[in-house]
Amino acid sequence: KSDSDTYSCDIGDAQSRAKLTVQEAPVLFKQELQNEEAKEGKQVRLTCELSKPGTPVKWMKGDTVLSASEKYEFKQHGTVAELIIRDVKSVDA
């Protein structure tokens, strides 16, 4: 996308110009979330992989957007996004 601009070819007495517009490729899941089972009190790690590094990710439980806390930790390394849920309880299912 950052390559979008006007380019020119200059031969001294004349110029030719063209506008380049780059359309961003959609972000896709290379690896989707997988179902997990955990024992109460343990920690669970949910991981997905995206097609584009640095893509903003919003983690949700049902319709509720999760916020980072002692319970929830978010990590993102390149194309891999992780949600860590600590001290899981039955209400976390």
Side-chain angles (χ1 to χ4, degrees), residues 4-74:
S4 295
D5 207 337
T6 300
Y7 291 84
S8 62
C9 181
D10 190 326
I11 58 171
D13 294 338
Q15 274 189 344
S16 179
R17 293 179 187 256
K19 183 177 180 179
L20 172 64
T21 304
V22 179
Q23 297 177 349
E24 287 190 81
V27 177
L28 304 171
F29 286 102
K30 289 174 73 176
Q31 179 185 347
E32 296 194 12
L33 292 173
Q34 301 296 311
N35 293 336
E36 296 285 342
E37 287 187 25
K39 293 187 179 200
E40 256 187 335
K42 297 294 182 182
Q43 175 176 293
V44 173
R45 183 181 308 260
L46 300 176
T47 304
C48 62
E49 186 174 0
L50 310 169
S51 61
K52 191 180 235 183
T55 301
V57 172
K58 175 171 56 174
W59 288 97
M60 301 177 71
K61 178 185 176 197
D63 294 330
T64 304
V65 177
L66 300 177
S67 298
S69 64
E70 285 187 26
K71 178 85 172 171
Y72 302 112
E73 180 181 353
F74 312 126

